């Protein structure tokens, strides 16, 4: 057995252990929401178990829950929500049958598709573009100055983890999946812990989603070294999208359609009421994290994201290639990872343009 194969086996085992521990920790952060009134769109499933993060980059589910858009469309279907720190843990929850759908980033979705040989999940909608940055100590002004430094990411194999490793490679800085190399990567560092470690001087920065990048800037004096939007054409790339268990999608298509209607309604409301949307996001963050974001943090984080139903599918293959180059993913054919037919039917009916799967759909 080659070193590369042995390493990938160890990596998958490590990812599973870390994600299982994260899953166990997140089970306490779940709630059930029932509708007293609603449409008949929820028939087909008695319960929908939905995962997402307590991040501004998850504005769609935060608003969808806070303002009741999901519950309204789900009707008699109970909505049970569960909060995760990063995507790999949410993927493990789907594999374990603990949740039915989740908002997460591109790389965990790709990993789920690859690990299950294309069977376990489908991407059914986009949610957010942008909202991720590499923030560092003020004295660091170039990639070369990162040599010997410690940089945190939320979870090994997660979207920000892959983005960091890919960018470092482009700068000629060597890393390996264990975190060692010319730059030490502290993967599996929860976002709140990253802030604490940075304030204590124990790490030098992090590649983080919003609002954590903004919190390090405004509360801990960090500086932005890389705004990830500058690395993508037109500054657009998938940060958050909605994946659904294929088993659940097949068994309860009406329930998935109801969730998508709730998303489209939530995103329409966000576009028309940005100030109220920020307040709704902050209200959910207060419920989930115990306290709201400071107004200046919320404003800065909000300015760095774009809420969209478009999964920006053309950027997914690039994310997969970055993961392959980082040694975190074997080459994977992504054909079939998207099922956008239910979303496009809703978008067409509500007067929105259809979105593309970039040739990676189920059809």
């Amino acid at each position: 057995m080659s070193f590369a194969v042995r390493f990938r086996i160890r990596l998958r085992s490590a990812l599973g252990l870390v994600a299982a521990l994260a899953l166990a920790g997140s089970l306490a952060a779940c709630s059930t929401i029932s509708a007293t009134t609603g449409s008949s769109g929820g028939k087909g499933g008695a319960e929908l178990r939905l995962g997402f993060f307590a991040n501004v980059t998850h504005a769609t589910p935060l608003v969808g829950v806070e303002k009741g858009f999901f519950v309204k469309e789900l009707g008699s279907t109970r909505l049970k929500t569960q909060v995760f720190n990063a995507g790999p843990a949410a993927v493990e929850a789907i594999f374990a049958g603990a949740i039915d759908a989740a908002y997460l980033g591109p790389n965990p979705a790709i990993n789920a598709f690859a690990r299950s040989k294309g069977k376990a999940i489908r991407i059914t909608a986009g949610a957010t573009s942008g909202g991720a940055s590499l923030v560092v100590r003020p004295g660091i002004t170039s990639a070369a100055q990162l040599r010997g430094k410690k940089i945190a990411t939320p979870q090994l194999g997660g979207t920000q983890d892959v983005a960091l490793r890919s960018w470092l490679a482009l700068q000629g800085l060597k890393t390996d999946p264990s975190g060692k190399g010319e730059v030490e990567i502290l993967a599996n560092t929860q976002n709140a812990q990253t802030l604490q470690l940075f304030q204590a001087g124990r790490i030098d920065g992090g590649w983080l989603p919003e609002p954590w990048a903004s919190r390090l800037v405004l509360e801990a004096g960090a500086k932005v070294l890389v705004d990830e939007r500058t690395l993508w054409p037109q500054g657009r790339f998938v940060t958050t999208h909605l994946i659904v268990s294929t088993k659940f999608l097949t068994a309860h298509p009406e329930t998935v359609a109801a969730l998508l209607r709730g998303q489209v309604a939530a995103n329409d409301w966000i576009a028309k009421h940005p100030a109220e949307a920020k307040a709704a996001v902050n209200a959910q963050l207060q419920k989930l994290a115990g306290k709201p974001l400071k107004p200046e943090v919320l404003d800065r984080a909000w300015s760095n994201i774009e809420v969209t139903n478009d999964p920006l599918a053309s950027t997914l293959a690039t994310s997969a290639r970055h993961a392959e180059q980082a040694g975190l993913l074997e080459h994977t054919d992504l054909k079939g990872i998207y099922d956008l037919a239910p979303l496009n039917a809703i978008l067409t009916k509500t007067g929105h343009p259809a979105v593309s799967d970039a040739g990676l759909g189920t059809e």
Side-chain angles (χ1 to χ4, degrees):
M1 185 181 295
S2 69
F3 171 79
V5 172
R6 289 198 306 273
F7 174 76
R8 289 190 181 99
I9 291 172
R10 290 197 299 271
L11 175 61
R12 284 195 292 267
S13 297
L15 278 169
L17 176 59
V18 170
L21 291 172
L23 170 58
S26 69
L27 286 173
C30 61
S31 61
T32 301
I33 307 169
S34 298
T36 54
T37 61
S39 72
S40 61
K43 70 179 182 178
E47 180 179 74
L48 172 66
R49 299 165 299 172
L50 178 67
F52 53 86
F53 308 167
N55 290 343
V56 173
T57 52
H58 286 235
T60 295
L62 293 173
V63 169
V65 170
E66 177 66 21
K67 302 304 291 186
F69 291 107
F70 291 168
V71 164
K72 178 181 178 182
E73 294 297 335
L74 287 168
S76 60
T77 298
R78 294 186 303 275
L79 175 64
K80 184 176 182 180
T81 63
Q82 187 168 319
V83 179
F84 296 87
N85 179 67
V91 165
E92 293 302 323
I94 285 182
F95 281 1
I99 61 173
D100 307 305
Y103 286 90
L104 43 71
N107 292 99
I110 293 167
N111 286 333
F113 191 76
R115 285 175 57 192
S116 66
K117 301 186 185 303
K119 296 179 180 179
I121 63 98
R122 294 290 182 267
I123 300 170
T124 58
T128 307
S129 170
S133 300
L134 171 59
V135 293
V136 297
R137 299 203 173 281
I140 299 172
T141 58
S142 69
Q145 291 175 293
L146 293 175
R147 281 190 174 86
K149 300 296 192 294
K150 296 180 179 180
I151 305 297
T153 65
Q155 195 163 3
L156 177 64
T159 299
Q160 284 76 52
D161 186 66
V162 171
L164 172 62
R165 294 171 192 274
S166 174
W167 182 79
L168 289 174
L170 288 174
Q171 309 310 309
L173 294 169
K174 297 179 180 178
T175 64
D176 64 53
S178 70
K180 303 301 180 182
E182 293 179 285
V183 180
E184 184 174 353
I185 299 176
L186 303 178
N188 307 318
T189 305
Q190 292 197 8
N191 295 318
Q193 185 182 12
T194 295
L195 174 59
Q196 296 167 358
L197 291 172
F198 188 86
Q199 290 172 324
R202 294 174 59 188
I203 62 172
D204 302 290
W207 199 297
L208 302 169
E210 293 293 0
W212 296 99
S214 288
R215 289 196 65 179
L216 261 71
V217 169
L218 296 176
E219 298 177 17
K223 300 296 182 182
V224 176
L225 185 61
V226 181
D227 181 334
E228 192 172 346
R229 290 176 296 185
T230 65
L231 305 179
W232 294 88
Q234 291 80 51
R236 304 185 79 216
F237 62 100
V238 57
T239 302
T240 308
H241 51 201
L242 175 63
I243 71 169
V244 178
S245 156
T246 307
K247 180 178 179 181
F248 190 86
L249 178 61
T250 301
H252 306 296
E254 301 95 339
T255 303
V256 175
L259 174 62
L260 291 170
R261 287 197 300 272
Q263 163 166 324
V264 171
N267 285 350
D268 282 350
W269 186 82
I270 290 170
K272 294 175 182 177
H273 307 89
E276 293 94 330
K278 284 195 292 184
V281 166
N282 221 11
Q284 267 295 301
L285 293 178
Q286 181 172 12
K287 293 174 184 177
L288 298 172
K291 61 180 180 180
L293 294 174
K294 297 176 182 178
E296 61 270 25
V297 172
L298 180 59
D299 288 343
R300 186 184 186 283
W302 193 264
S303 70
N304 290 329
I305 69 167
E306 174 195 354
V307 175
T308 177
N309 295 307
D310 190 343
L312 302 171
S314 63
T315 66
L316 190 77
T318 302
S319 294
R321 187 171 67 251
H322 290 167
E324 291 171 17
Q325 293 168 345
L328 297 175
L329 179 72
E330 295 182 357
H331 179 70
T332 301
D333 182 358
L334 298 178
K335 176 67 176 178
I337 194 171
Y338 289 100
D339 186 350
L340 300 180
L343 172 65
N344 278 328
I346 294 165
L347 292 175
T348 300
K349 187 174 182 179
T350 54
H352 298 286
V355 295
S356 171
D357 61 22
L360 301 176
T362 54
E363 297 179 355

